Amino acid sequence: EKLVENSAQVGADIISSLNAMSTKYEFLKEARGKGLMIAIEFQAPKSLKLKAAWATLEAANKGLFCQMITIPLFKEHHLLTQVAGHGMNVVKLLPPLNLTKKDRDWVVNSFDHAIADTHKVPGSIWSLGKNLASHALKSKTGS
């Protein structure tokens, strides 16, 4: 099935497509990886409105922003991703090696929609962020 070759090509296409979005989205720092082992890193934005929203989430729990990516990816796009580690602003994607070009487009479009939603402040995604931050602060204080 040429899984190694397929994963190298489709993975490179996904990484390239996600990196092309970094000029469009302030939160998106970079995508990197090898084959279909892909990491998408997010960063503090430059614009004041987005920076304030980012700072609020980071104050509640470092790396919380990524939950605003992973939850909609799963609930709305049925794409399973995971935060790469505690306190990190990196989402990891480990799809099956037999991903098709159609699947590749679905992954890229799903990320495009999820990241675009985080740039709409206030918006429904930030309601989720507020809820996540509230729970994170409660767990810190033991309430």
Side-chain angles (χ1 to χ4, degrees):
E1 292 183 48
K2 299 185 179 184
L3 294 177
V4 173
E5 293 87 353
N6 181 66
S7 68
Q9 181 60 53
V10 174
D13 290 349
I14 290 172
I15 291 167
S16 174
S17 296
L18 291 173
N19 280 327
M21 290 181 208
S22 67
T23 58
K24 187 165 69 167
Y25 300 123
E26 290 184 55
F27 288 122
L28 182 58
K29 182 175 182 180
E30 73 169 336
R32 57 186 179 271
K34 184 167 179 87
L36 285 168
M37 295 184 296
I38 301 170
I40 302 92
E41 186 171 358
F42 296 91
Q43 64 185 352
K46 302 218 183 314
S47 67
L48 190 58
K49 185 177 183 181
L50 293 177
K51 191 183 287 190
W54 172 275
T56 301
L57 287 178
E58 287 294 291
N61 192 351
K62 185 162 174 42
L64 193 57
F65 175 83
C66 285
Q67 294 300 330
M68 291 182 27
I69 300 292
T70 60
I71 292 170
L73 282 174
F74 184 68
K75 289 178 88 173
E76 297 169 23
H77 303 280
H78 311 288
L79 181 60
L80 184 59
T81 57
Q82 188 177 21
V83 178
H86 180 71
M88 297 178 71
N89 287 303
V90 178
V91 171
K92 64 182 176 181
L93 176 65
L94 296 165
L97 300 180
N98 62 348
L99 230 59
T100 64
K101 288 181 179 15
K102 182 179 176 183
D103 296 329
R104 173 204 60 206
D105 294 341
W106 163 66
V107 167
V108 171
N109 289 331
S110 297
F111 268 95
D112 192 12
H113 285 110
I115 298 168
D117 284 347
T118 64
H119 285 71
K120 297 174 186 167
V121 178
S124 60
I125 195 75
W126 285 100
S127 295
L128 169 65
K130 182 179 173 187
N131 191 16
L132 291 171
S134 171
H135 288 293
L137 288 172
K138 284 180 186 175
S139 70
K140 276 185 175 181
T141 61
S143 305

